[in-house]
Amino acid sequence: MRIDVSSYIPGSSPVHACDARVKIVLLAAYSVALFLVDTWTGLALCALLFVAVAASSGVPVRRFFALLVPVYVIAGFAVLFNGFAFDVSQAVPGTVPTVLGGASAGMLASSPPVALIGSFGFVPAGFARGCFFAARIVLLVVASLVVTYTTTSTALTDALADFLRPLRRLRVPVDDIAMVFSLALRFIPVTAEEFGRVHDAQQARGAAFAEGTLWQRLRAWQTVLIPLFVGLFRRADALAAAMDARCYGAGAARTSLRDRRFTAKGAGVLAVGIAACAALAWFL
């Protein structure tokens, strides 16, 4: 039950040294390009772009794909629901309209559906599109992992504060929003650690989490969830008292320890990255 929630992996690669604001903007551009690309060639180039960035980051490849079981399940459902139809007579090749986020069936676009049991059958063109959607989902997730693995939570919070800075003119509490975001990120490993500790303690006391009926298992998990939430509320109360003792929100303008000036190098990386994503989305 020890959950590995560590995200940032220290390193000295060019990706680690890149400005967090640049990485977030490029991630958004890459995500948009993934949904605009509708050919297998374009998808392959997007995958190649991810491989190049991931290799330059120095992060082990297994860290990108080891914890994506929920993503694999979603990708599997995408392939399953697109590759099979209850009425294959309605799955006519070449009749799928081209829409935003669409996908090409490639060489299987003209392949006729195959009836398996009655009207239920396999649709080759739908299977190809399902594989396209699955690959798109996986690339979208692993691209976001590149950012989280090479950027500290503090840098992400500072980048969020910089993005929200224009809203200060509308009296939006930008600093408070950034602080809440930072606390949420920091509480994730704390919550996972507390969860594992309570689970081990209750299991040592004889709690049966994998035995009995479904209702009995759910009742066993109550012995974990209730102490977990109580402990989290206690931590939140202690944190609030500590912030109040340090005069948080006294009214003075907040300052930053680090200088977050946007450099010419960051601007160049941003321009090249956006141009590459725009070229992929436009031509492929």
Side-chain angles (χ1 to χ4, degrees), residues 5-62:
V5 293
S6 59
S7 56
Y8 177 67
I9 301 176
S12 57
S13 67
V15 182
H16 284 81
C18 185
D19 194 321
R21 294 166 292 185
V22 173
K23 286 187 279 190
I24 292 176
V25 174
L26 290 181
L27 175 62
Y30 183 79
S31 302
V32 173
L34 276 177
F35 280 93
L36 292 179
V37 166
D38 58 359
T39 63
W40 285 96
T41 302
L43 187 66
L45 290 177
C46 288
L48 184 62
L49 181 61
F50 159 74
V51 171
V53 176
S56 62
S57 68
V59 178
V61 178
R62 59 181 179 84

Side-chain angles (χ1 to χ4, degrees), residues 197-208:
R197 185 183 299 112
V198 175
H199 175 273
D200 292 346
Q202 297 297 347
Q203 192 174 38
R205 292 178 175 88

Side-chain angles (χ1 to χ4, degrees), residues 35 37 40 43 74-75 78-79 82 96 99-104 126-139:
F35 280 93
V37 166
W40 285 96
L43 187 66
I74 296 175
V79 176
N82 284 276
V96 178
V99 295
L100 180 63
S104 171
F127 175 77
R129 286 191 295 271
C131 293
F132 193 100
F133 295 145
R136 177 185 285 168
I137 293 171
V138 173
L139 284 176

Side-chain angles (χ1 to χ4, degrees), residues 24 61 79 85 87 120 127 144 174-175 180 188 193 196 199 240 279:
I24 292 176
V61 178
V79 176
D87 189 358
F120 178 81
F127 175 77
S144 64
V174 174
D175 294 331
V180 170
I188 291 176
E193 182 181 357
H199 175 273

Side-chain angles (χ1 to χ4, degrees), residues 34-185:
L34 276 177
F35 280 93
L36 292 179
V37 166
D38 58 359
T39 63
W40 285 96
T41 302
L43 187 66
L45 290 177
C46 288
L48 184 62
L49 181 61
F50 159 74
V51 171
V53 176
S56 62
S57 68
V59 178
V61 178
R62 59 181 179 84
R63 293 296 300 269
F64 290 106
F65 299 97
L67 300 177
L68 296 184
V69 175
V71 179
Y72 297 148
V73 173
I74 296 175
F77 276 116
V79 176
L80 179 64
F81 290 135
N82 284 276
F84 295 89
F86 287 100
D87 189 358
V88 294
S89 62
Q90 297 181 0
V92 180
T95 60
V96 178
T98 302
V99 295
L100 180 63
S104 171
M107 295 182 296
L108 299 179
S110 58
S111 299
V114 179
L116 299 177
I117 303 175
S119 61
F120 178 81
F122 175 70
V123 184
F127 175 77
R129 286 191 295 271
C131 293
F132 193 100
F133 295 145
R136 177 185 285 168
I137 293 171
V138 173
L139 284 176
L140 183 64
V141 175
V142 294
S144 64
L145 290 180
V146 173
V147 177
T148 57
Y149 282 159
T150 60
T151 313
T152 63
S153 59
T154 302
L156 290 174
T157 304
D158 293 340
L160 175 64
D162 290 337
F163 289 140
L164 297 178
R165 184 175 299 175
L167 298 178
R168 288 180 177 175
R169 298 181 180 180
L170 302 178
R171 299 184 180 276
V172 176
V174 174
D175 294 331
D176 293 337
I177 294 175
M179 176 60 68
V180 170
F181 183 74
S182 176
L183 293 178
L185 289 178

Side-chain angles (χ1 to χ4, degrees), residues 191-224:
T191 303
E193 182 181 357
E194 186 75 13
F195 176 80
R197 185 183 299 112
V198 175
H199 175 273
D200 292 346
Q202 297 297 347
Q203 192 174 38
R205 292 178 175 88
F209 298 106
E211 299 178 359
T213 63
L214 178 61
W215 178 248
Q216 290 174 341
R217 295 183 184 182
L218 292 177
R219 289 184 62 87
W221 279 104
Q222 288 181 356
T223 61
V224 175

